[in-house]
Amino acid sequence: MRPSRLQNQKDCTLTDPVIEIRDLHKSYGSLEVLKGVDITAPAGHVVSLIGSSGSGKSTLLRCANLLEDSQQGEVIFCGEPVLWTGSGLARRPADRAQMIRIRTNLSMVFQQFNLWSHMTILQNVMEAPVTVLKRDKAEVENKARAYLAKVGIGDKCDVYPAQLSGGQQQRAAIARALCMEPKALLFDEPTSALDPELEQEVVKVIKALAEEGRTMLIVTHDMRMAQDVSDHVVFLHQGKIEEQGAPAELFGNPKTDRLRGFLSASVPA
């Protein structure tokens, strides 16, 4: 297991995970997508969520970041429970300031990049720290350039998203997330929209971030990456945790028929 480093989680103690989810339930009308899920992401650890399409992986990630409202259970950020109002399908975060603060500390990297087409790559990376966090523009620019260099596209600051490959766009999206200097990074299928060659560019960046000891929660179809970067892997099936554990245990000695079947269909020979 990689050593845990806390340079990016100064407000989280060794005993308080960055993200903790307890007995989470999420429904869309009568369709129950998550059926009582528990997830813990300690500071400096990488937790990967795997499972078939429709198993609830991306929904769980969005609930952790409060982009989706859950109907039951707790979402806890650095020991601080999210405050709720209402119940069932009417449940919502009760404190808007708390919700915004948690979201800005849990930066999402989406499958489809979500870069603003009318802004240069540098402007994309700078936008949220300047407009949302009200940070000094010159300071943010220096950090944005450094993060773009970190992900290997420091020479692309002044170009527009359409001028980049998919892999470069996703690396720009990672730099944008890093520029928020969050407590954790949340990746929602970060490589699934990419060709295999471009996918490896992004995997290399994610592996480097894992080696730095950044807290990450990753939804992925890439079993090799999950094996290489994770401290803990969670296999979801039909909205429940079917099996979880260290990568060597989960991939090397799966205990359930469902996980064995999933891995045999997912892991390249």
Side-chain angles (χ1 to χ4, degrees):
M1 183 181 291
R2 295 173 295 100
S4 173
R5 301 176 191 170
L6 304 182
Q7 72 272 28
N8 299 302
Q9 291 84 32
K10 293 177 182 177
D11 298 328
C12 293
T13 70
L14 287 170
T15 56
D16 287 332
V18 179
I19 305 166
E20 187 174 5
I21 290 171
R22 299 176 184 167
D23 191 33
L24 199 74
H25 292 252
K26 168 66 182 175
S27 297
Y28 296 100
S30 60
L31 176 63
E32 191 175 16
V33 179
L34 297 175
K35 305 170 184 176
V37 174
D38 298 274
I39 296 284
T40 300
H45 284 227
V46 179
V47 178
S48 289
L49 308 176
I50 64 172
S52 303
S53 297
S55 60
K57 308 183 301 297
S58 293
T59 299
L60 177 57
L61 203 68
R62 294 175 68 85
C63 286
N65 199 37
L66 305 182
L67 291 173
E68 296 276 1
D69 297 325
S70 51
Q71 281 72 59
Q72 181 182 322
E74 290 188 88
V75 178
I76 303 166
F77 170 72
C78 285
E80 176 188 357
V82 172
L83 302 174
W84 301 98
T85 183
S87 61
L89 292 173
R91 188 168 93 148
R92 301 288 184 272
D95 185 337
R96 178 170 173 77
Q98 181 195 47
M99 178 184 71
I100 292 171
R101 178 165 46 79
I102 290 174
R103 275 188 190 166
T104 56
N105 275 288
L106 299 175
S107 287
M108 284 277 285
V109 178
F110 298 93
Q111 179 179 343
Q112 296 294 342
F113 325 137
N114 291 3
L115 298 172
W116 288 291
S117 61
H118 65 288
M119 292 183 178
T120 66
I121 294 304
L122 181 63
Q123 290 170 337
N124 264 279
V125 175
M126 291 177 59
E127 178 67 12
V130 171
T131 61
V132 177
L133 301 182
K134 309 299 181 185
R135 290 179 180 160
D136 177 75
K137 189 172 182 179
E139 180 185 340
V140 170
E141 180 175 345
N142 288 336
K143 289 183 177 179
R145 289 183 182 277
Y147 283 125
L148 285 165
K150 183 184 187 72
V151 300
I153 53 170
D155 59 335
K156 304 296 183 183
C157 289
D158 298 322
V159 305
Y160 290 86
Q163 298 171 272
L164 298 184
S165 69
Q168 290 171 328
Q169 288 188 59
Q170 190 61 293
R171 284 186 279 161
I174 294 171
R176 179 179 59 185
L178 288 168
C179 204
M180 292 294 284
E181 300 190 326
K183 297 292 189 299
L185 294 165
L186 310 184
F187 291 88
D188 188 7
E189 296 280 12
T191 60
S192 63
L194 303 175
D195 293 333
E197 184 178 353
L198 301 179
E199 181 177 345
Q200 290 311 304
E201 297 176 0
V202 176
V203 169
K204 182 179 177 181
V205 171
I206 294 173
K207 285 182 178 179
L209 294 174
E211 287 300 321
E212 289 180 5
R214 292 187 182 266
T215 307
M216 295 191 280
L217 195 56
I218 305 175
V219 169
T220 184
H221 71 288
D222 186 334
M223 296 301 104
R224 238 167 229 173
M225 182 176 73
Q227 283 181 278
D228 290 346
V229 307
S230 304
D231 296 288
H232 192 78
V233 180
V234 177
F235 171 55
L236 282 163
H237 178 73
Q238 295 182 356
K240 294 182 178 180
I241 295 177
E242 182 79 13
E243 198 168 334
Q244 62 181 314
E249 176 187 344
L250 210 75
F251 291 103
N253 186 30
K255 295 179 175 61
T256 65
D257 290 338
R258 285 197 182 106
L259 180 55
R260 280 191 288 270
F262 173 76
L263 291 177
S264 67
S266 303
V267 178

